[in-house]
Amino acid sequence: MEFDWNILRSGEQTIFRLRGLYEKYGYRRFKMSKFEEYDLYIRNKDFLVSDRMITFTDARGVLMALKPDVTLSIVKNTREKEPGPRKVYYNEAIYRTNKGDDTFQEIMQTGLECIGDLDLYHIYEVLSLAVQSLAAISPDYVLDVSHMGLVSGFMEAAGVSQADYPTVLEAVREKNAAALRAFCQEKGMSGTVSALLEKLVNTYGPIQSVLEELAPLCVGGKKTREAWEELNSICQLLKANGLGDKVCLDFSVEGGMDYYSGIVFRGFIKNLSAGVLSGGQYDKMVEKMGKRCGAMGFAIYLDELERLHAGQPAWDADVLVRYDDKTDLTALTGKMAQLAAAGKKALARKETDGLRVRETIDMRGGAQA
């Protein structure tokens, strides 16, 4: 009998599809404990969405935390100088609060990490798998991409001090051109410099056309030139493999500069305002944890996908089988087994309780169906 995917929730269906996709590219399942030592998370709290955690003290007297993140655990358990990059995927629950919310939630995530000596191919592979993951969820998606090298390179070219980076980055993240202009006026920056920084706010569109527009601005500095060339190479590879049509350049996609380097990205699905996928290169975080290698990955937030399909289903079951105290239980159980073997979702009830069903079979009073 062919498996009926409709019995699985949307998030469960996504997990099965993506597991097959990732394994085709050599990624192996990573399974972790529900908790880690609290110290791991507090030392890297800026990498987390929230630094609030559910903690407890174990029998050794060590403070532990229910995991608010998976990536930190994978990096912690990765040995340096493994042959080839370590490629893993995961399906895990994390426990955290969201911004502006004091309630802890159990959030299902699936995603992957590629850790080791990464070259251009590996960067492309992770980004292409992010595109393919979104396409496996919905045809109506967009992947917004940025590059920390371009962002920091533009700020350096404009003469922004590192102490002022957070102010500029906040305006870029919020696409707040007015706040950025006010900052430039306060610092006495010229109109030319202000226009350069405003590119970080106003730039958005298909990655190839935007890169062409930015090319003249990226030839002067080494950092911006190398970042532009890397993005352009990735763009050409995506295009060559039919994956570039829904990839856009957007500098408001920003990771913490203390942790992220290189490409960062976020994926969106139509009818969901929040992003369902986020990721990037986090070499600096790996370095902070004492590992000398590169790293890149992404996570998909399955709870957001459940919101996409949160409407009430049209039917509670395919078939309702009515029975009473006079019904032959052998006949009833046989009928239910027959319906299950035929791939039907069936409910046996004495009372209907307002159920919505496609078909009703009446076996009350000893009737045979």
Side-chain angles (χ1 to χ4, degrees):
M1 182 182 70
E2 184 178 352
F3 183 73
D4 182 7
W5 285 90
N6 293 321
I7 68 173
L8 300 177
R9 294 184 303 171
S10 59
E12 294 170 331
Q13 293 180 24
T14 299
I15 288 173
F16 275 96
R17 292 193 190 101
L18 297 183
R19 182 173 70 181
L21 172 64
Y22 304 152
E23 289 183 350
K24 289 177 182 177
Y25 282 82
Y27 288 77
R28 296 184 177 182
R29 174 81 181 272
F30 176 86
K31 184 67 179 175
M32 64 175 289
S33 171
K34 288 186 180 297
F35 43 83
E36 286 270 12
E37 292 186 9
Y38 175 74
D39 185 59
L40 170 67
Y41 300 122
I42 204 62
R43 282 188 284 108
N44 297 282
K45 63 181 181 179
D46 292 339
F47 185 74
L48 304 175
V49 172
S50 170
D51 61 0
R52 297 188 62 195
M53 287 165 265
I54 301 173
T55 60
F56 65 95
T57 303
D58 70 5
R60 303 167 298 164
V62 176
L63 188 62
M64 308 293 288
L66 283 175
K67 63 177 185 287
D69 178 81
V70 179
T71 301
L72 289 169
S73 294
I74 293 176
V75 174
K76 174 189 173 185
N77 290 284
T78 298
R79 300 189 307 273
E80 287 189 75
K81 299 181 180 178
E82 291 189 15
R86 185 185 187 199
K87 299 165 65 172
V88 299
Y89 74 91
Y90 59 86
N91 303 310
E92 295 285 343
I94 61 171
Y95 306 87
R96 72 180 189 207
T97 60
N98 289 321
K99 291 181 179 179
D101 187 359
D102 294 330
T103 304
F104 279 96
Q105 297 179 344
E106 180 183 53
I107 301 171
M108 283 301 300
Q109 283 188 352
T110 189
L112 60 81
E113 311 292 344
C114 186
I115 305 172
D117 294 327
L118 307 188
D119 57 24
L120 186 64
Y121 168 76
H122 298 111
I123 296 171
Y124 162 77
E125 181 182 85
V126 173
L127 200 61
S128 72
L129 286 172
V131 174
Q132 292 179 70
S133 297
L134 290 171
I137 297 168
S138 169
D140 296 316
Y141 72 88
V142 64
L143 183 72
D144 289 341
V145 178
S146 182
H147 198 298
M148 300 304 292
L150 278 181
V151 175
S152 59
F154 278 176
M155 289 193 293
E156 287 179 9
V160 178
S161 68
Q162 289 194 7
D164 289 326
Y165 277 13
T167 301
V168 175
L169 290 174
E170 182 178 3
V172 172
R173 183 170 55 248
E174 296 176 354
K175 290 186 175 291
N176 191 337
L180 194 56
R181 282 193 294 270
F183 168 81
C184 292
Q185 290 175 358
E186 178 187 342
K187 299 297 180 179
M189 294 179 173
S190 69
T192 302
V193 171
S194 178
L196 177 63
L197 287 179
E198 285 184 32
K199 282 288 185 183
L200 296 175
V201 172
N202 299 326
T203 296
Y204 183 81
I207 186 169
Q208 183 171 6
S209 61
V210 173
L211 284 174
E212 292 172 358
E213 177 188 341
L214 293 177
L217 302 175
C218 300
V219 295
K222 181 176 184 291
K223 182 178 290 187
T224 52
R225 184 177 67 253
E226 290 180 349
W228 185 93
E229 290 174 349
E230 183 174 71
L231 272 177
N232 188 57
S233 296
I234 295 295
C235 173
Q236 298 308 315
L237 290 171
L238 290 170
K239 182 180 177 182
N241 289 281
L243 299 173
D245 292 345
K246 298 181 180 180
V247 179
C248 294
L249 191 62
D250 183 357
F251 290 124
S252 70
V253 179
E254 182 260 323
M257 296 192 74
D258 290 337
Y259 287 89
Y260 287 93
S261 58
I263 292 173
V264 291
F265 49 92
R266 193 163 182 84
F268 297 87
I269 298 294
K270 185 178 180 181
N271 296 326
L272 287 178
S273 58
V276 299
L277 180 152
S278 66
Q281 294 174 255
Y282 50 93
D283 299 2
K284 292 182 179 179
M285 187 267 277
V286 176
E287 183 179 350
K288 282 177 177 285
M289 294 181 67
K291 310 281 175 83
R292 295 181 297 276
C293 59
M296 186 172 181
F298 61 81
I300 298 171
Y301 307 109
L302 298 177
D303 57 318
E304 293 294 334
L305 301 185
E306 293 298 338
R307 292 190 181 96
L308 186 65
H309 302 283
Q312 192 175 27
W315 305 101
D316 296 309
D318 296 316
V319 181
L320 170 65
V321 181
R322 298 289 305 277
Y323 72 99
D324 58 18
D325 293 338
K326 296 182 179 180
T327 302
D328 182 342
L329 288 182
T330 300
L332 174 62
T333 55
K335 174 55 69 175
M336 295 299 291
Q338 179 186 355
L339 292 169
K344 299 289 185 69
K345 179 181 179 182
L347 296 174
R349 292 285 192 274
K350 287 185 175 180
E351 303 295 334
T352 61
D353 298 325
L355 291 172
R356 296 161 301 145
V357 295
R358 299 176 188 272
E359 176 188 355
T360 298
I361 296 176
D362 194 346
M363 299 185 69
R364 291 175 295 179
Q368 297 294 311

